[in-house]
Amino acid sequence: MDAKSFAVIGLGRFGGNVLKHLYESGYEVMGIDENEEKVQDYTGMATHTVQADSTDEQALQEIGIRNVDVVVVAIGEDIQASILTTLILKEAGVKKIVAKAQNERHGQVLYKVGADRVVFPERDMGKRVAHNLISTNVLDFVELSPDYGVVEVAASENLYGKSLIELDLRAQFGVNVMAIKTNHEFNIAPSPEVIIQEGDILIVIGHNDDLRRFEEEI
Ligand code: ADP
């Protein structure tokens, strides 16, 4: 385990879920929000919860924020507070800062003031849902970079009974099948002779444009 202690600032829907998940996974995690009600809501779902305004440098110091390994800035609406908080954390010497951005511009600023990683949960979820709408075979989509991604697709009828060699998806679409899930069992790096069966799920990596063509035609 390379990270030991966490703090989540801003216990809205996103931050609250990050907090809960880390706590349930057995990590030491502190939840911080300026809203006393939020702090109460999450007591018992964190190692401890603190009511504090994260734009108050001294308040963060008193909490001992610089001793936390990873701090997640999950302030949503208040972009100014999110930027200021990130800056204060950077100046306090926090080793790793992960910040949530509302949009691309906000994300750029967060990087500039010292975020080590910026996440765009609404944008990413929007893309995932859109991929699923393009083709109902698409079960999930994960963006690796603006150009590349991974899709999880349910094998359609035209794939049944065919081997990966026969299908030759690499030549047809420029995509690669990384794994095949059959009855909840994963076959990682499947051999080219593997025959696709009804109910199989394919995990496919490729350029977003190629994946889109694959999704549309599969
Ligand atoms: P989401 O979209 O994930 O639900 P919200 O914007 O609703 O996010 O929630 C953000 C949370 O951050 C709120 O609970 C709010 O009280 C908290 N928050 C906003 N500004 C500060 C701040 N300066 N210090 C601490 N918590 C803050």
Side-chain angles (χ1 to χ4, degrees), residues 9-16 32-36 38 51-56 74-78 81-82 85 100 102 121-122:
I9 301 177
L11 306 178
R13 285 157 302 176
F14 175 71
I32 302 163
D33 202 292
E34 63 179 1
N35 181 335
E36 183 60 44
K38 288 283 163 96
Q51 192 257 323
D53 175 358
S54 60
T55 61
D56 178 348
I75 296 172
E77 305 273 288
D78 192 344
S82 126
T85 299
K100 167 186 141 148
Q102 296 281 84
E122 286 92 355

Side-chain angles (χ1 to χ4, degrees), residues 129-140 152-154 215-216 218:
V129 171
H131 274 265
N132 178 254
L133 295 174
I134 292 171
S135 162
T136 49
N137 285 331
V138 176
L139 306 173
D140 204 356
E152 193 182 27
V153 289
E215 287 168 19
E216 281 164 1
I218 203 84

